[in-house]
Amino acid sequence: MRVCRVQPDVAAVRRAFEYLVPDDLAPVVRVGTVVRVPLHGRRVRGWVLDADVAADAIEAPRERLRPILAAVSAGPPPDVVDLCRWAAWRWAGPVATFLRAASPPNVLDVGAQPDVGAAVYPARLEPGHPWADDALIVTAPTSAIALQPLAAPEGSTLVLVPSAAAGEVLARAFVADGRDVVQLFSDQSAADLTRSWDRARAGACVVVGGRAAVWAPVPDLATVIVLDERDEAFDDERAPTWNARDVALERARRAGASVRMITPAPSVEALVAFGDHEPPVGVGGIRGGWPRVEVVDVRDQEPGQALVTRELADALHRTVDAGARAVCVLNRRGRARLLACRTCRELTRCERCGATVHEEARGGEGGLACTVCDTVRPVVCLHCHGTRLRPVKPGVAHVRDDLAALLPRVAVDVVEASTVGTPSAPVVVGTEAVLHRVAADPGNPVGVVAYLELDQELLAPRSRAAEQALWLLVRGARLLGAHLLGADPAPPGVLLLQTRVPDHEVVVAAQRGDTVSVALADRVQRQQLGFPPFGGLAALSGEPAAVAHACSALRSGALRSGALRGDAVSGTGVTVLGPVDDGRRALVRAPTWDRLADALGTPEVDAAHAIGRLRVDVDPRRI
């Protein structure tokens, strides 16, 4: 009997084991097959990583090997299995997580192998066209680009989109173009996903899907198209924190496929991946497709009192009077995140731990709650016992009250991440979730999108603050032009930006419609700091014992390699910062992401997961 290597689908088991392949299962046990194996007295499923382990590579004594119990289902093809193993190394996670995403949710006949199809379509792009090969295409937010000409004339095309709604529109366009389309979205039923997965492995199709569609089992991948590559929908927030754009680039490189990315605001990673030069503007020129941008300079306003300005009031009145809707964005939940006493002007603090408290409603009554120890007390100042407090950082609920007073005959809704349903009021105020919740309605368009405190995003202590702030503006611009998608003229609405830094590169870029300039400026800063994609960065968090063990293992590994001793001079080593926050968090830096992946993938670091809960966030978005 030959020996195969199987990765169990068990969260706590991060290594593969060797099993014997019974003669009756030998024809169907191949790389990627889903099998049932014995493991510590249990029967668990797993994936075959190596169908025929060489005799000199078998780790366990052959007489101790147990046989595979059953071949359960067809699984990902060998090239996708290899890609999953690469992703597990790249993002320091268990390979089973990626194999699970790459497998059909229901059982498929393990013996049935579909015939690989072949289809040839007329080439829609002439050789030498700037988009005929790998291309980064920058469009305006409200300008649609036809993706059908970008699909491969032979083989399969993989189209990644950030939302199922956008995917449905694209799927219809490809069907109208005569293509065989397969959709893979997480909101489909398990049966539909399994049928789509089975069809995709026959090839000669266009696969349209979300983040997980990057693992589609197409055997003849020729082109990968990524729409809105910067969208956070392509990031998996659960560990391992992988990114579909980066997986798509690696898969295309391995398959020799072309890559085309279409985005209104390219990321630094995309610029570097496509040669680190300014990409061509795809549609609409520089200003085409961007709404009118009005900047309100609030530097003369008192801090905390610059949210409901005269310019905002005028814009809301004009919008409501014209029968359009208004959307106000403020990324602060609740009523007030920071308060001061109107009498003694002291900040309100927790009597137990000294942290600042925020205003919230509990059981229908207002109160002050501490975000650190969750202590709740009445609205009373500890210094002078006054009961009149002034919001220094008002939240969306407080702003909703102010806007309702400003527009007494107009309904005003509040939207947060926890809000259920779609708001229908003429004026809506909320966190950035409001940009996703307000539905596009051609008969009732949005006339103004106002960012009440844009500086909170522009000046956030994060390495990607400018990139993330620009994407918020892109979402607002799309909301204004939702009823004009596909048309080049700028939508008639207004982006209203209230800021104390009107000369910030993001504000200037929005006024000019030149989003590439933000990525170019951000690129210089990240390269100087050694942040991704110019270096490896990972955030460790979890139980103090597990974080401490991981940090100790990383430092020991760096010392063994001599990296730390030469780090200050050559910059070639892995550096561990922390732990901090009572031992719950640490930061790991490396000169390259592959060196970081090697450091995080050692057995010593991996052993930290057995000590306690440990989250490894590679390329963190909020650092």
Side-chain angles (χ1 to χ4, degrees), residues 142-190:
T142 59
S143 294
I145 182 173
L147 300 189
Q148 302 92 299
L150 302 181
E154 298 182 42
S156 294
T157 297
L158 181 60
V159 183
L160 301 182
V161 294
S163 68
E168 183 65 33
V169 173
L170 291 175
R172 289 198 296 266
F174 279 112
V175 169
D177 197 43
R179 301 278 183 156
D180 194 353
V181 177
V182 176
Q183 296 190 57
L184 288 172
F185 288 100
S186 59
D187 60 351
Q188 293 175 266
S189 67

Side-chain angles (χ1 to χ4, degrees), residues 496-573:
L496 188 71
L497 316 181
Q498 297 188 160
T499 175
R500 297 179 186 273
V501 281
D503 56 347
H504 193 281
E505 62 264 25
V506 172
V507 177
V508 174
Q511 291 176 300
R512 297 176 178 173
D514 179 17
T515 60
V516 178
S517 62
V518 176
L520 293 175
D522 201 15
R523 174 198 178 282
V524 175
Q525 183 180 31
R526 285 205 223 167
Q527 191 168 25
Q528 291 174 343
L529 295 174
F531 282 2
F534 305 103
L537 190 66
L540 308 182
S541 61
E543 297 180 13
V547 174
H549 181 92
C551 291
S552 177
L554 287 165
R555 289 191 174 101
S556 298
L559 283 172
R560 284 195 299 271
S561 66
L564 283 181
R565 285 189 288 270
D567 182 68
V569 177
S570 62
T572 59

Side-chain angles (χ1 to χ4, degrees), residues 445-506:
V446 176
V448 62
V449 176
Y451 296 84
L452 305 187
E453 193 176 28
L454 187 60
D455 298 343
Q456 182 179 348
E457 312 303 326
L458 299 177
L459 307 178
R462 300 190 295 262
S463 62
R464 302 175 187 266
E467 178 183 285
Q468 292 164 351
L470 180 61
W471 197 253
L472 282 182
L473 301 188
V474 168
R475 288 197 180 281
R478 283 183 167 168
L479 194 57
L480 290 170
H483 58 299
L484 296 175
L485 281 177
D488 287 341
V494 175
L495 276 181
L496 188 71
L497 316 181
Q498 297 188 160
T499 175
R500 297 179 186 273
V501 281
D503 56 347
H504 193 281
E505 62 264 25
V506 172

Side-chain angles (χ1 to χ4, degrees), residues 286-307:
I286 294 295
R287 276 299 311 170
W290 269 89
R292 182 161 54 92
V293 177
E294 293 184 2
V295 178
V296 181
D297 188 346
V298 295
R299 283 178 290 185
D300 294 334
Q301 300 285 338
E302 181 183 352
Q305 303 297 310
L307 296 183

Side-chain angles (χ1 to χ4, degrees), residues 56 74 104 249 283 404 435 437 571:
D56 57 353
L249 287 169
V283 175
L435 300 175
R437 300 290 180 84

Side-chain angles (χ1 to χ4, degrees), residues 195-393:
R195 282 192 291 269
S196 297
W197 192 94
D198 190 30
R199 168 60 189 91
R201 64 180 179 153
C205 61
V206 175
V207 177
V208 180
R211 179 175 62 230
V214 73
W215 312 106
V218 291
D220 54 352
L221 183 63
T223 297
V224 177
I225 301 174
V226 183
L227 191 66
D228 291 350
E229 54 85 18
R230 167 58 189 83
D231 198 296
E232 291 189 355
F234 290 131
D235 297 322
D236 196 336
E237 296 182 355
R238 301 164 299 178
T241 55
W242 60 281
N243 178 275
R245 175 201 57 223
D246 296 339
V247 176
L249 287 169
E250 177 66 16
R251 185 172 186 183
R253 183 190 68 79
R254 293 176 175 223
S258 60
V259 182
R260 289 134 191 191
M261 292 189 179
I262 300 95
T263 176
S267 64
V268 176
E269 287 82 357
L271 287 183
V272 173
F274 285 88
D276 209 15
H277 58 80
E278 185 168 345
V281 176
V283 175
I286 294 295
R287 276 299 311 170
W290 269 89
R292 182 161 54 92
V293 177
E294 293 184 2
V295 178
V296 181
D297 188 346
V298 295
R299 283 178 290 185
D300 294 334
Q301 300 285 338
E302 181 183 352
Q305 303 297 310
L307 296 183
V308 183
T309 62
R310 183 181 68 255
E311 291 83 358
L312 173 65
D314 293 342
L316 293 179
H317 281 293
R318 286 196 305 268
T319 303
V320 172
D321 292 344
R325 292 181 292 170
V327 175
C328 301
V329 182
L330 176 65
N331 260 339
R332 274 200 300 272
R333 296 176 297 169
R335 298 197 60 80
R337 310 307 293 183
L338 186 64
L339 298 130
C341 178
R342 291 184 182 273
T343 304
C344 66
R345 298 187 178 182
E346 289 286 341
L347 291 179
T348 55
R349 298 194 176 206
C350 176
E351 67 271 26
R352 174 185 289 183
C353 66
T356 57
V357 296
H358 66 273
E359 184 182 7
E360 64 172 28
R362 294 196 176 193
E365 298 181 0
L368 302 179
C370 177
T371 56
V372 176
C373 64
D374 205 33
T375 299
V376 180
R377 76 164 191 266
V379 183
V380 176
C381 174
L382 294 179
H383 293 269
C384 69
H385 304 292
T387 58
R388 298 176 64 247
L389 304 180
R390 176 176 64 87
V392 179
K393 288 187 176 181

